[in-house]
Amino acid sequence: MSYTQYTDSQTQLMSIAKAIVSPGKGVLAADEINATMEKRFSGIGVENTEENRKIYRGLLFSATNSQHSLSEYISGVILNHETFHQSNKDGVSFIDVLQKNGMIPGIKLDQGVTPLVGTNDEVIAEGLDRLGSRCSEYYKLGARFAKWRCVLKISENTPSELAMKENANVLARYASICQQNGLVPIVEPEVLRDGDHDLEKNQKVTEQVLSYTYKALMEHHVYLEGTLLKPNMVTAGQSCTKSYTAKDVAKATVTALQRTVPAAVPGIVFLSGGQSEEEATLNLNAMNQLEMVKPWRLSFSFARALQASALKAWQGKSCNATAAQAELLKRSYANGMATQGKYEENSVSTFADTDDNFVAQHVY
């Protein structure tokens, strides 16, 4: 087979990956584990029950008003196992809700992290056991893409070479298994914001992590045209005393990507990493305004940076559902504009647009 000819399965994977990063669209990450939802709900005085989680996510997925619907800005939604099997109040499965509303269902496949023995408090993601059968089952139920998150931290002695290599290999194995079962893998090697490191240090580490990641993906024969990357933006550590502009962040991030990410990858959907809603949008917008070579689409896969205002507006009350949906639609619109470099600072006002969403050692 020629290198320019593709199998039917490769063509399908590439088509889905490109659809997820369609112009003006990005991904809503709604795959938080229950422990994370406990923290989110406690902040608004809502009990963390399965029913409340279902109600909250149901209002997110059906967000619409007289002028706009969520699918105008959101191409896909990442779910966790619980939400993937839930239905709305009318008994319609969330998978059907998303598909009928023009969004692609995705599934979180990693099962958290475990200590990586022989390192300085570093971790590796779990979940490879039975991954093939899990992928097959999720595909049959409607999933068309997946996500797997690995985390690395910056300190004087980390990330270690061992941590970067082992996490890269786990991501590559996951990506290969996904593609064997028809799922587009979103590869997420996150460099945490914890620490006082500066922008330059983060850029160097991000380049190292992505280099290991793509070396492993190539070694595992992963079809890059049928993948997406979900990296951190290159920002200074949360405790860094230096200040940087959105343009600084954008230039450092795009430079790191230019040096490490093959042009075959259709798109890059950034995580927000605890940035405020407005900060994440401005940084994404600045990247898309840069006059630098960018062979991939630059988009978003946000959780906190899309949901913070919606959650604050909702407060666990059914009478606030419409207001919460309006907040999500506004934030989604803002980020959709940012994917095209057309967002204007403070042009969209939401309940929590400047609130800091940082959580130390954050887990999903």
Side-chain angles (χ1 to χ4, degrees):
M1 183 181 71
S2 167
Y3 284 114
T4 57
Q5 293 177 328
Y6 303 107
T7 66
D8 290 343
S9 61
Q10 287 176 325
T11 300
Q12 182 183 32
L13 289 168
M14 179 166 54
S15 176
I16 294 168
K18 287 182 176 180
I20 292 172
V21 289
S22 298
K25 295 187 178 184
V27 175
L28 167 62
D31 59 329
E32 302 93 339
I33 62 174
N34 293 347
T36 298
M37 292 307 295
E38 175 73 35
K39 297 175 184 176
R40 305 270 172 87
F41 280 1
S42 65
I44 59 171
V46 173
E47 186 180 1
N48 182 32
T49 64
E50 181 178 353
E51 182 64 19
N52 283 337
R53 292 191 296 271
K54 183 172 72 171
I55 292 171
Y56 171 63
R57 284 170 172 146
L59 72 85
L60 296 181
F61 303 157
S62 59
T64 185
N65 58 29
S66 59
Q67 296 178 308
H68 301 286
S69 63
L70 191 61
S71 62
E72 291 179 47
Y73 324 113
I74 300 297
S75 55
V77 179
I78 308 173
L79 311 174
N80 63 25
H81 181 79
E82 176 185 271
T83 311
F84 194 90
H85 290 89
Q86 287 177 329
S87 301
N88 65 12
K89 57 181 173 49
D90 298 319
V92 181
S93 74
F94 283 149
I95 300 303
D96 286 342
V97 170
L98 293 175
Q99 291 174 334
K100 289 175 181 177
N101 288 335
M103 292 174 281
I104 305 170
I107 181 68
K108 166 188 163 72
L109 288 176
D110 69 88
Q111 297 178 326
V113 297
T114 189
L116 181 58
V117 177
T119 64
N120 183 19
D121 199 29
E122 294 180 285
V123 296
I124 191 163
E126 296 184 297
L128 289 178
D129 291 347
R130 295 185 59 254
L131 183 57
S133 60
R134 291 168 58 210
C135 287
S136 176
E137 184 63 22
Y138 285 126
Y139 184 89
K140 290 176 183 175
L141 294 174
R144 289 298 177 266
F145 73 98
K147 187 206 82 167
W148 184 291
R149 176 181 183 251
C150 286
V151 293
L152 299 109
K153 63 179 182 178
I154 297 177
S155 70
E156 184 178 354
N157 300 309
T158 61
S160 65
E161 183 178 13
L162 176 62
M164 290 188 284
K165 281 185 176 180
E166 292 304 313
N167 278 286
N169 280 322
V170 166
L171 284 168
R173 187 74 186 118
Y174 140 80
S176 177
I177 295 171
C178 277
Q179 291 189 336
Q180 291 169 26
N181 290 278
L183 298 177
V184 169
I186 292 183
V187 176
E188 182 178 358
E190 178 179 2
V191 178
L192 296 173
R193 290 179 65 206
D194 305 62
D196 60 1
H197 52 274
D198 59 19
L199 188 75
E200 293 73 19
K201 176 66 173 180
N202 189 313
Q203 181 182 338
K204 179 180 179 181
V205 171
T206 297
E207 289 175 6
Q208 289 177 315
V209 169
L210 292 177
S211 294
Y212 278 107
T213 299
Y214 279 98
K215 181 176 185 293
L217 289 170
M218 292 297 291
E219 289 174 343
H220 284 75
H221 308 291
V222 173
Y223 174 60
L224 297 183
E225 289 89 338
T227 68
L228 295 170
L229 174 68
K230 181 174 178 175
N232 53 282
M233 297 182 188
V234 175
T235 63
Q238 177 68 13
S239 303
C240 180
T241 57
K242 296 181 184 178
S243 297
Y244 298 92
T245 65
K247 189 172 183 178
D248 293 331
V249 170
K251 187 173 182 179
T253 302
V254 173
T255 299
L257 297 173
Q258 285 179 329
R259 293 172 175 172
T260 56
V261 183
V265 176
I268 296 168
V269 289
F270 291 98
L271 57 91
S272 58
Q275 300 175 79
S276 71
E277 291 178 335
E278 182 73 1
E279 182 182 9
T281 303
L282 288 173
N283 286 338
L284 177 61
N285 189 67
M287 288 181 222
N288 282 297
Q289 288 183 334
L290 281 180
E291 294 184 1
M292 296 174 66
V293 176
K294 294 167 287 187
W296 353 258
R297 290 198 182 277
L298 302 181
S299 187
F300 60 92
S301 176
F302 294 162
R304 288 168 284 176
L306 277 175
Q307 297 183 47
S309 288
L311 192 64
K312 196 170 184 178
W314 178 52
Q315 295 290 312
K317 300 176 181 178
S318 58
C319 60
N320 292 336
T322 300
Q325 291 176 326
E327 294 297 293
L328 176 61
L329 287 170
K330 286 192 291 184
R331 207 68 249 168
S332 298
Y333 162 79
N335 286 298
M337 295 298 287
T339 66
Q340 303 169 80
K342 297 179 180 179
Y343 179 71
E344 296 183 10
E345 186 172 1
N346 296 321
S347 61
V348 173
S349 178
T350 48
F351 273 57
D353 51 11
T354 59
D355 290 1
D356 186 7
N357 293 313
F358 177 75
V359 178
Q361 300 291 323
H362 183 60
V363 296
Y364 280 96

